[in-house]
C-alpha cells in the first residue's frame, strides 16, 4: 500500500508558547562570536569609579548613536569622523542579528498611526529609545511634535505628579504617520507611574530588569503592572 503523506508541522503562530524561563540553566546562549577585529571595551568617557558621568550608565552613547542617523549614504561611506566605523562595519560586528529578518520602523509607524508608543525602563531602555530616534530620522519619518501633541503632553503631566517620583515622560518624538513616541525613566514598579503610563500610551514597552536581583520580586511586579 502507498505510504501515508508526511504530517505537516503547524505554523509557528499555532505552536504553544515555550515554558517560562526563570533559571540560568534554561537561558539561550548565543553561540556566535564577534570577529577578531571587533574591540569590546567599556565606554571610556564614563567615570565608572564615581558612578558614571551624571550618574547615567549609558551617558555618551547618544552622540555615538545619532551620528548614524542623518543619511544612510554618509554612514556607508565611512565619512563619520575619527573613531566611528561605517554602517557596514557595524552590521558585520553585530553577529547576533546578522542574517535575520529585520523590520523598518516605518512598518511600526504605519501600524501605530495617530497612536502613542511609550518605552519605559532604565538607562539601557533609554539607549534603545535613542536607537528608535535614530531610525525615525534615518528613515525620513521624523517631524516636529505638532500642537496637539504638545497639548496632549501638558494635559497628561498632572498624572505623573501623583507618585513619589514626579517624573513625566521625556524625549517626545512624532512620525509622519502621526505616531507619537515617549520615554519614561523608571527602574522598578511604581503603581502611580504605571497608572499614568496606561492612561497616556496606547502601547507600552517595559523593561526594568537590570535593577532587580530577585526574580520572584520581578515576576510579581510585572504581574502587578500587567493587571493595571
Amino acid at each position: 500500500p502507498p505510504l501515508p503523506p508526511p504530517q505537516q508541522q503547524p505554523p509557528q503562530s499555532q505552536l504553544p508558547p515555550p515554558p517560562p524561563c526563570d533559571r540560568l540553566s534554561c537561558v539561550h546562549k548565543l553561540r556566535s562570536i564577534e570577529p577578531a577585529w571587533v574591540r569590546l571595551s567599556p565606554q571610556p568617557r564614563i567615570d565608572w569609579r564615581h558612578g558614571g558621568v551624571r550618574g547615567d550608565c549609558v551617558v555618551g552613547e547618544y552622540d555615538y548613536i545619532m551620528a548614524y542617523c542623518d543619511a544612510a549614504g554618509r554612514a556607508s561611506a565611512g565619512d563619520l569622523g575619527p573613531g566611528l566605523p561605517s554602517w557596514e562595519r557595524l552590521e558585520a560586528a553585530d553577529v547576533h542579528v546578522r542574517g535575520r529578518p529585520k523590520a523598518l520602523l516605518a512598518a511600526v509607524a504605519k501600524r501605530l498611526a495617530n497612536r502613542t508608543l511609550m518605552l519605559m525602563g532604565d538607562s539601557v531602555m533609554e539607549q534603545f529609545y535613542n536607537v528608535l530616534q535614530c531610525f525615525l530620522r534615518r528613515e525620513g519619518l521624523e517631524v516636529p511634535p505638532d500642537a496637539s501633541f504638545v497639548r496632549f503632553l501638558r494635559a497628561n503631566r498632572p498624572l505623573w505628579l501623583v507618585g513619589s517620583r514626579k517624573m513625566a515622560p521625556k524625549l517626545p518624538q512624532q512620525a509622519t504617520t502621526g505616531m507619537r513616541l515617549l520615554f519614561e525613566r523608571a527602574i522598578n514598579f511604581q503603581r502611580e507611574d504605571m497608572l499614568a503610563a496606561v492612561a497616556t500610551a496606547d502601547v507600552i514597552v517595559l523593561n526594568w530588569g537590570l535593577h532587580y536581583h530577585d526574580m520572584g520580586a520581578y515576576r510579581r511586579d510585572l504581574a502587578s503592572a500587567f493587571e493595571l
Side-chain angles (χ1 to χ4, degrees):
L3 295 175
Q7 293 184 349
Q8 294 184 348
Q9 293 294 327
Q12 191 71 24
S13 60
Q14 297 180 10
L15 294 176
C21 177
D22 56 5
R23 304 178 309 279
L24 288 177
S25 58
C26 61
V27 174
H28 174 68
K29 297 181 180 179
L30 299 171
R31 301 296 181 183
S32 301
I33 60 174
E34 288 78 10
W37 49 263
V38 176
R39 293 189 301 171
L40 300 177
S41 61
Q43 168 57 260
R45 287 174 289 177
I46 297 180
D47 186 353
W48 295 103
R49 293 174 299 178
H50 296 90
V53 180
R54 300 206 307 273
D56 191 337
C57 47
V58 296
V59 163
E61 299 290 347
Y62 177 81
D63 293 337
Y64 181 89
I65 292 171
M66 299 306 286
Y68 293 88
C69 307
D70 290 334
R74 181 166 169 263
S76 297
D79 186 23
L80 293 162
L84 294 177
S86 68
W87 185 269
E88 291 82 4
R89 193 171 176 86
L90 286 179
E91 287 187 325
D94 196 357
V95 295
H96 304 305
V97 299
R98 189 172 66 233
R100 297 190 178 189
K102 303 177 183 66
L104 295 175
L105 187 58
V108 178
K110 181 179 180 180
R111 182 173 290 272
L112 297 181
N114 301 313
R115 301 175 73 187
T116 302
L117 169 64
M118 175 181 290
L119 271 64
M120 193 175 190
D122 55 24
S123 59
V124 172
M125 202 61 168
E126 183 169 353
Q127 191 179 46
F128 179 55
Y129 186 83
N130 294 154
V131 174
L132 293 185
Q133 290 179 290
C134 174
F135 286 170
L136 198 70
R137 185 174 303 175
R138 187 175 173 84
E139 296 179 27
L141 300 170
E142 183 183 30
V143 294
D146 58 24
S148 63
F149 192 7
V150 174
R151 290 193 299 269
F152 173 81
L153 293 173
R154 291 173 178 170
N156 281 273
R157 182 174 175 79
L159 299 175
W160 298 92
L161 303 180
V162 175
S164 59
R165 294 176 62 250
K166 304 188 186 310
M167 293 176 61
K170 61 180 183 177
L171 306 177
Q173 296 275 173
Q174 193 162 2
T176 53
T177 64
M179 180 183 70
R180 302 164 171 176
L181 293 96
L182 292 168
F183 175 73
E184 171 60 19
R185 185 66 175 269
I187 63 172
N188 54 28
F189 174 70
Q190 299 287 335
R191 179 178 174 81
E192 294 83 1
D193 288 350
M194 202 68 230
L195 287 171
V198 171
T200 301
D202 298 293
V203 178
I204 302 172
V205 181
L206 177 65
N207 180 18
W208 303 310
L210 289 181
H211 289 261
Y212 281 82
H213 304 285
D214 182 337
M215 283 297 296
Y218 190 33
R219 191 184 302 110
R220 289 190 296 271
D221 278 359
L222 282 176
S224 298
F226 284 119
E227 287 175 358
L228 298 179

